[in-house]
Amino acid sequence: MKTQKLIIPLCCLALSFSCKNEEKKETSTATQTPQTTVVKNSSEKTYAEISVAQGGNWVDGPRGHKEYSEGTSFKNVTKLTVPKEHTDHSWFIRYEGPGWESNKVGYRLYLDWRNAIDIFGKTTHDIILPKVGQDGFDSYHEMSDWGMDILKAGKSMGIGSIGRYVDGKVLHFETVEETTAEVSNSDNASSVFINYKGWKTAGDKIDLQSTLTITPNHRYTKHQITPSEAIEGIATGIVKFKDIELIEKSTEDNTWAYIATYGEQTLVPDKLGMAIFYKTAEVSQKTTGEHDHLLVFKPTTNRITYYFLGAWEKEKDGITNKEDFISYLDEKLNTLSNTNQLQ
């Protein structure tokens, strides 16, 4: 195995919403030193982690915000209160946030103002997240032996994340008093817990708790959110692409439904299917924003539960056409109709 290295850039391209909007390599003048990687048992089928840079310090960067410079290694932690200095492209959190995966697929959450969820397409059933982002900040945007970061998230919420839909626009997490992330791994599941304290949007300030859980042999993530106040507009969605149609279906009793897309919507480009399963009673409207197909939830302080997934055509033993993808979604919808949950 080649020596793994941390690259923490000091000179960067102009600010963009997602590093994948500009597929150019980041450059660095930082010292490059060997990394400590987490070795995972090949028999494990789920994993979650959050990994932060060590040995450096916060400095003023060329993008107009603080950056973590001269880091010497990454360290996995089980819990992190996000530093006030951290934002997008600040080089502090490996692949910019927590990650979670099954033996089928991986995901990551941008733990900054964007708050989008991205997809790691996997060509193996092995655990891969400990390798990701160890050999350069954006190396995972290119195909490797494990797969790659595949979703073109752009200015959207990506897949299954949270924002607030107000006056035709999706508001992200530009103003939050404190964000805390925690990860948990067991034999049966891996989870990421996010606590957003003092999320301010459109004159409202609330706390929001988020739990993302993945289980072995499945592509879907179970996402549970609990708002502290019943406000209008809390929403999730799927990134919207030109010429990719929205697929919709509900159970016969209209208790559960899904929205989905399928087509060339990756960085490669190649075929990717995405879907969100939701309880119809929890949703006030389905709509289309500038960058997302949206599900807007009814105001509540009760826990909201939905599921989202990505299915990449290059996944090992994966789904390679639209017809099979829809059939797969219909099977999951039938399970929800019969049991009211996915397990």
Side-chain angles (χ1 to χ4, degrees):
M1 180 182 295
K2 66 179 181 179
T3 301
Q4 300 294 333
K5 298 182 178 180
L6 171 64
I7 301 176
I8 297 187
L10 293 178
C11 298
C12 314
L13 298 174
L15 177 63
S16 63
F17 184 92
S18 167
C19 57
K20 290 180 297 177
N21 288 342
E22 300 179 15
E23 286 304 297
K24 299 177 182 178
K25 284 286 185 180
E26 304 285 352
T27 60
S28 174
T29 58
T31 302
Q32 300 177 17
T33 56
Q35 287 306 296
T36 300
T37 58
V38 179
V39 178
K40 302 301 296 175
N41 189 319
S42 61
S43 65
E44 292 181 313
K45 293 186 177 180
T46 69
Y47 177 61
E49 68 172 13
I50 185 166
S51 184
V52 296
Q54 304 289 300
N57 55 82
W58 292 97
V59 301
D60 292 331
R63 294 172 179 266
H65 59 68
K66 294 286 187 179
E67 296 181 359
Y68 196 80
S69 175
E70 301 294 331
T72 59
S73 61
F74 282 117
K75 178 183 178 182
N76 278 32
V77 295
T78 57
K79 189 173 183 179
L80 174 70
T81 298
V82 179
K84 294 293 185 182
E85 298 91 342
H86 176 67
T87 185
D88 63 288
H89 302 83
S90 58
W91 329 122
F92 177 64
I93 304 176
R94 183 158 58 87
Y95 55 79
E96 300 199 271
W100 62 101
E101 65 178 309
S102 71
N103 49 320
K104 297 284 190 180
V105 66
Y107 301 94
R108 63 167 171 153
L109 171 72
Y110 298 131
L111 200 60
D112 54 55
W113 66 274
R114 296 167 296 176
N115 203 62
I117 292 177
D118 206 342
I119 301 173
F120 287 127
K122 295 174 58 170
T123 56
T124 175
H125 288 165
D126 294 340
I127 295 300
I128 57 91
L129 285 177
K131 303 178 184 179
V132 177
Q134 294 279 12
D135 56 352
F137 175 74
D138 64 352
S139 60
Y140 43 80
H141 293 152
E142 298 178 0
M143 184 64 76
S144 70
D145 58 353
W146 58 263
M148 65 180 289
D149 177 353
I150 57 175
L151 183 60
K152 295 191 291 186
K155 296 182 178 180
S156 75
M157 290 189 288
I159 171 71
S161 188
I162 293 297
R164 189 180 182 198
Y165 186 64
V166 178
D167 295 332
K169 295 182 179 180
V170 173
L171 307 180
H172 295 266
F173 283 69
E174 282 86 352
T175 306
V176 184
E177 289 180 4
E178 183 180 89
T179 301
T180 303
E182 188 171 359
V183 296
S184 173
N185 291 289
S186 69
D187 292 339
N188 300 317
S190 293
S191 297
V192 176
F193 310 95
I194 312 288
N195 185 33
Y196 306 93
K197 180 181 178 182
W199 177 33
K200 296 180 181 179
T201 52
D204 294 302
K205 184 172 77 170
I206 70 167
D207 300 335
L208 183 73
Q209 294 180 338
S210 166
T211 301
L212 301 133
T213 301
I214 199 163
T215 50
N217 304 314
H218 295 298
R219 299 178 179 89
Y220 57 79
T221 291
K222 181 180 183 179
H223 198 177
Q224 296 177 297
I225 63 168
T226 307
S228 64
E229 301 289 340
I231 62 172
E232 299 277 354
I234 293 178
T236 188
I238 300 173
V239 55
K240 180 181 67 174
F241 294 108
K242 184 179 180 180
D243 300 325
I244 301 291
E245 68 172 341
L246 183 67
I247 307 163
E248 301 180 61
K249 190 170 183 178
S250 62
T251 56
E252 289 188 5
D253 63 1
N254 200 37
T255 301
W256 283 90
Y258 66 71
I259 61 170
T261 59
Y262 189 87
E264 290 189 356
Q265 42 193 353
T266 74
L267 293 168
V268 180
D270 49 21
K271 301 293 195 306
L272 171 68
M274 292 183 284
I276 299 176
F277 297 88
Y278 63 96
K279 296 178 183 178
T280 57
E282 293 181 340
V283 170
S284 63
Q285 65 169 314
K286 293 178 291 183
T287 189
T288 301
E290 184 179 0
H291 305 291
D292 308 83
H293 300 291
L294 295 167
L295 298 170
V296 182
F297 297 110
K298 296 176 181 178
T300 185
T301 57
N302 294 327
R303 185 172 63 190
I304 298 168
T305 299
Y306 61 95
Y307 302 83
F308 64 84
L309 63 86
W312 186 35
E313 69 170 327
K314 291 180 179 174
E315 170 192 321
K316 187 175 181 180
D317 304 322
I319 297 169
T320 59
N321 60 73
K322 184 176 180 179
E323 292 73 21
D324 289 346
F325 179 62
I326 293 174
S327 177
Y328 166 74
L329 297 183
D330 290 347
E331 290 177 7
K332 299 304 178 191
L333 190 63
N334 185 59
T335 298
L336 287 166
S337 178
N338 291 332
T339 66
N340 206 38
Q341 63 180 338
L342 296 178
Q343 294 180 331

